[in-house]
Amino acid sequence: MEKYILKKDNIILSKNGYPFKVAIVDIDDVQILPVGNLYVLEVNKELANPYYIKVFLESEKGIERLKAIITGVTIPVINVEKLKGIIVSLPDIEEQNRLVDEYLNGYSRIKK
C-alpha cells in the first residue's frame, strides 16, 4: 500500500461527476491513501510546476479538454486512457514558476 500513499505536490483529480475537482497535496508529514474515485497525477517537476498543471485543469481550456474525454451520461467519468493523452501547453519552467507565483499571491490575498 505504501506505493499508493500521496506525495507532496501530487495532483488529485476527481474522476466522477461534474464539475471536476482538482487539488494539490500540500503536506508531507501525514500518510494519506486516496479513495478509488480520484486520479493521482505525479508531475515531473523538471518539466512542469504542479500548480501550473492544476491551474490549467481548472481553466476554460482545461475544463474543455476534460469534458472532451468524459464517458457516461448520468454520471460523467473521466476516461483514464484519454486523460493520459491530454496535451498541456507548457511555457518554459521559469515562466510557469512566475505565473504560479502570481496565482498563489492572488490566492493568498483573496484568502486574507
Side-chain angles (χ1 to χ4, degrees):
M1 298 295 260
E2 183 122 347
K3 71 178 182 176
Y4 298 110
I5 292 176
L6 295 175
K7 298 175 192 87
K8 185 167 176 43
D9 294 333
N10 281 162
I11 299 171
I12 303 168
L13 173 64
S14 62
K15 65 168 113 173
N16 302 331
Y18 178 80
F20 300 108
K21 305 295 184 206
V22 184
I24 297 272
V25 176
D26 194 23
I27 56 172
D28 56 4
D29 57 345
V30 177
Q31 292 186 339
I32 300 171
L33 191 62
V35 294
N37 63 347
L38 299 173
Y39 289 126
V40 178
L41 311 176
E42 195 165 323
V43 177
N44 179 340
K45 293 182 194 173
E46 292 179 13
L47 300 175
N49 184 312
Y51 284 90
Y52 182 87
I53 302 296
K54 176 190 183 298
V55 171
F56 171 79
L57 292 172
E58 294 175 330
S59 73
E60 280 185 37
K61 190 177 279 188
I63 292 168
E64 179 181 300
R65 292 198 181 153
L66 288 175
K67 281 182 171 181
I69 63 169
I70 59 174
T71 58
V73 177
T74 307
I75 300 175
V77 178
I78 296 174
N79 179 297
V80 70
E81 291 306 315
K82 291 181 180 179
L83 177 62
K84 291 176 184 178
I86 284 184
I87 296 173
V88 178
S89 302
L90 292 176
D92 62 57
I93 193 71
E94 291 81 18
E95 179 67 6
Q96 290 178 53
N97 291 338
R98 186 188 69 74
L99 293 169
V100 166
D101 285 343
E102 283 183 26
Y103 167 79
L104 292 176
N105 286 337
Y107 179 76
S108 178
R109 284 192 303 266
I110 291 169
K111 199 172 171 181
K112 285 180 185 178

